Amino acid sequence: MGNDNLKREADMDSDLQKSISLRLNRRGDRSNQSPHAKDFEVGLFSSGRVPQDYPMKIVWKKGFVQLVLVAGILWMLLILMALLFHIWSCQTSVSFLSGCSIPLANDPDKIVVPTGRTTDEIVKNISYVMEDEVPQNGSKSSPLFGGHQSWKQREESFKLNSNMKVHCGFIPGGGAEMDPVDIIYVKRCKFVVASGIFDGYDLPHEPSNISLRSTKLFCFLMVVDEVSLKFMRENGTVKEDNDGGKWVGIWRLVLLKYPPYDEPRRNGKVPKILTHRLFPQAQYSIWIDGKMELIVDPLLILERYLWRGKHTFAIAQHKHHRSIYEEADANKRRKRYARPLIDLHMKIYYYEGMKPWNSNKKTISDVPEGAIIIREHTATNNLFSCLWFNEVHLFTPRDQLSFGYVAYRLGESFKFFMFPNCEYNSLFVLHPHTREHSSPIEWVKQLDQLQNSNLKESRGGLGLFTPYPGDLDSVVLPNVTRTSKAG
């Protein structure tokens, strides 16, 4: 009897060991049925105990996933802290995310504004051609903004003398006439922050970190056309003062009733490049593109980029390119204008002696980041702006292609400060356009497509359709090494 009991107990022990072994071999099959396992699955910080038969691979897997989640949350918090620090640092001497130091002064109220104007050594005075001219084919294109220069007149305009008379837009009836109420208002503007929006591609962005001193010292002028003004009224808040002036926040809207071009990008070059013609009383101006939000006090910008180094013209270096031929290649790839016309534009410059940028040049780059221009309106700077605009008027509206050429033609007479691109990125917040910007001419691949008059501009780029007095067929453009996919 006793032996039978001992045998029965031994058999039960054997069955129990087999059962435990079977459960371990099944691994996760029975883990869902364990209340201890459920306690453990509550979270990484659960107080539940793991039973001995809980599969270890499942434990490691779940623990690893939870560890990754916690690490991701901590990383996101770190990024958020960095962004907050970056915003704070925009008014200080350190830029956290931009990659280089931003040596701005700290207090706009302590900035000493220079008295008087910087003297010009070569160009003492500049006046403007105010009559229209007849193109070589004998027909008038109405209206012509700034007249139609012959190639000889263009060449003569680069020969400097003390008292110069140049084409510079704004001929009577040529478009870009300002509203009389705005003409009266801008006469009071000695310090200007200017921007422009055409064809309803943007809404004004209210500047931030602007001191009380700067709100009183600066005029914030947003140049718009009728289409953009209508768009702002429908999608924002446009207020009108007792004198008929129109406002969006700090921005005074300046209406151009009759834009001179039928391409919005080219119209945008009028206030951007010819700021001194729109606002002739301005001594200093800061231009920002319409999609930019200014986040640094304009007095700090003038002190950093003009007064501290005794500069009169400052512009940022392009992020990717130094040679205009690299920039032209990028424009073609990104369909920023008709590709054959960009090639023609570059052939003319190459024929006229504009070499690709190299380290032996005195400038750090031939290609600017054109979304910001900081100027004192000296006679030489005004001349540069006129000649730069004339190139944009004559060829393509891609002003970054023309900047380096005009600087090359003026040589040592035009001095400018080109600052690092990373500093530019700490002065503004970039906002997307309200809609995609495109025009039919941007998609043209072959010159014969331009036989259709609907595809080419009727008032801009006329130089590309005027016989050039040189053998451009023999010009072979320099090879371009694409250094950036983004560019």
Side-chain angles (χ1 to χ4, degrees):
M1 186 70 178
N3 292 334
D4 292 341
N5 289 335
L6 290 173
K7 183 178 180 181
R8 191 179 299 112
E9 290 176 1
D11 291 341
M12 292 176 64
D13 289 340
S14 177
D15 292 340
L16 180 59
Q17 292 175 357
K18 290 180 180 180
S19 176
I20 292 174
S21 177
L22 180 61
R23 288 201 301 270
L24 289 174
N25 288 333
R26 288 178 179 175
R27 298 184 181 276
D29 292 344
R30 295 180 59 83
S31 63
N32 293 334
Q33 300 176 15
S34 169
H36 295 291
K38 290 180 180 178
D39 288 343
F40 178 77
E41 290 173 0
V42 170
L44 182 64
F45 304 103
S46 172
S47 61
R49 296 174 55 195
V50 182
Q52 293 180 353
D53 61 340
Y54 194 88
M56 293 308 296
K57 287 188 177 180
I58 298 297
V59 174
W60 281 103
K61 182 177 180 181
K62 291 180 178 294
F64 177 76
V65 171
Q66 291 167 342
L67 183 62
V68 170
L69 290 175
V70 172
I73 293 173
L74 292 174
W75 180 247
M76 291 176 64
L77 289 173
L78 181 63
I79 293 176
L80 179 60
M81 291 175 63
L83 288 173
L84 292 174
F85 179 77
H86 173 65
I87 294 173
W88 169 81
S89 68
C90 287
Q91 289 271 45
T92 68
S93 62
V94 178
S95 175
F96 184 77
L97 295 181
S98 64
C100 65
S101 174
I102 310 296
L104 292 173
N106 292 321
D107 188 356
D109 292 329
K110 295 181 180 179
I111 299 298
V112 178
V113 179
T115 57
R117 292 179 177 267
T118 301
T119 58
D120 290 277
E121 297 178 0
I122 299 177
V123 179
K124 305 292 185 182
N125 182 54
I126 179 173
S127 58
Y128 309 106
V129 174
M130 296 301 295
E131 68 274 6
D132 201 351
E133 295 181 2
V134 181
Q136 290 180 347
N137 59 13
S139 64
K140 275 199 173 185
S141 176
S142 179
L144 280 174
F145 188 56
H148 183 90
Q149 297 182 76
S150 67
W151 293 110
K152 182 179 180 181
Q153 289 171 322
R154 172 176 174 266
E155 187 64 27
E156 289 293 325
S157 66
F158 284 101
K159 296 179 180 179
L160 304 182
N161 56 69
S162 295
N163 298 286
M164 296 195 64
K165 187 174 184 179
V166 298
H167 290 79
C168 202
F170 293 92
I171 60 173
E177 281 79 12
M178 292 168 56
D179 194 304
V181 68
D182 296 325
I183 294 176
I184 295 172
Y185 178 84
V186 302
K187 287 181 178 179
R188 62 181 288 272
C189 299
K190 184 178 178 181
F191 293 78
V192 169
V193 176
S195 188
I197 296 175
F198 290 84
D199 211 31
Y201 280 103
D202 298 286
L203 288 171
H205 301 288
E206 188 74 2
S208 57
N209 302 314
I210 308 300
S211 65
L212 179 61
R213 184 186 184 192
S214 288
T215 59
K216 295 179 179 180
L217 184 63
F218 283 84
C219 295
F220 291 79
L221 305 175
M222 177 70 69
V223 182
V224 300
D225 58 0
E226 293 276 11
V227 174
S228 297
L229 180 59
K230 181 175 181 293
F231 181 78
M232 291 174 192
R233 281 174 166 157
E234 294 173 348
N235 296 276
T237 303
V238 177
K239 296 182 179 180
E240 190 164 327
D241 60 26
N242 294 332
D243 297 323
K246 303 168 188 63
W247 299 82
V248 174
I250 200 173
W251 290 107
R252 167 71 179 232
L253 303 183
V254 177
L255 177 64
L256 294 189
K257 288 188 173 182
Y258 310 105
Y261 300 112
D262 44 25
E263 213 286 316
R265 277 202 179 102
R266 205 183 288 272
N267 283 323
K269 310 309 174 187
V270 176
K272 175 179 180 175
I273 302 178
L274 297 183
T275 314
H276 68 288
R277 300 288 332 260
L278 277 172
F279 316 125
Q281 276 70 40
Q283 183 175 351
Y284 296 98
S285 70
I286 301 171
W287 165 266
I288 63 173
D289 280 359
K291 61 183 178 182
M292 312 297 289
E293 174 191 342
L294 180 65
I295 59 174
V296 172
D297 190 283
L299 262 178
L300 299 183
I301 293 177
L302 290 182
E303 191 279 332
R304 158 69 181 108
Y305 296 105
L306 295 188
W307 301 332
R308 188 184 306 180
K310 293 182 170 44
H311 305 296
T312 63
F313 193 110
I315 196 166
Q317 179 182 347
H318 194 276
K319 184 176 182 180
H320 301 293
H321 307 132
R322 296 191 177 187
S323 168
I324 64 170
Y325 303 103
E326 293 175 349
E327 176 67 9
D329 179 72
N331 274 260
K332 291 192 295 182
R333 283 187 285 129
R334 300 176 71 180
K335 297 180 178 63
R336 294 300 179 87
Y337 203 67
R339 279 172 263 185
L341 296 183
I342 290 177
D343 281 339
L344 182 56
H345 187 182
M346 292 298 97
K347 281 187 174 184
I348 291 173
Y349 283 178
Y350 196 65
Y351 181 87
E352 294 179 349
M354 182 69 182
K355 303 299 182 185
W357 183 90
N358 61 69
S359 58
N360 293 325
K361 283 197 172 186
K362 294 182 179 180
T363 59
I364 63 173
S365 173
D366 288 335
V367 186
E369 186 64 70
I372 171 175
I373 308 172
I374 307 160
R375 284 171 284 200
E376 179 183 355
H377 292 290
T378 65
T380 301
N381 288 343
N382 292 345
L383 173 65
F384 174 85
S385 297
C386 290
L387 298 179
W388 184 16
F389 181 84
N390 289 345
E391 296 298 295
V392 172
H393 170 71
L394 195 63
F395 300 122
T396 70
R398 309 309 305 178
D399 56 81
Q400 290 160 305
L401 301 178
S402 302
F403 178 91
Y405 171 81
V406 178
Y408 151 71
R409 291 299 304 269
L410 293 182
E412 294 293 326
S413 301
F414 173 65
K415 296 178 175 62
F416 62 98
F417 173 39
M418 185 172 278
F419 55 90
N421 185 274
C422 55
E423 293 192 28
Y424 152 86
N425 288 329
S426 291
L427 300 175
F428 307 94
V429 174
L430 176 63
H431 294 274
H433 290 299
T434 58
R435 57 190 173 91
E436 186 62 27
H437 190 150
S438 183
S439 63
I441 196 170
E442 295 177 359
W443 298 89
V444 172
K445 295 181 180 180
Q446 304 294 332
L447 277 175
D448 55 11
Q449 292 178 261
L450 293 173
Q451 299 301 320
N452 182 350
S453 60
N454 293 329
L455 289 179
K456 69 178 181 181
E457 300 179 70
S458 63
R459 289 172 283 180
L462 301 179
L464 296 171
F465 301 96
T466 303
Y468 183 76
D471 182 16
L472 296 180
D473 292 335
S474 63
V475 175
V476 178
L477 290 174
N479 291 328
V480 171
T481 301
R482 295 177 179 177
T483 57
S484 170
K485 294 181 180 179

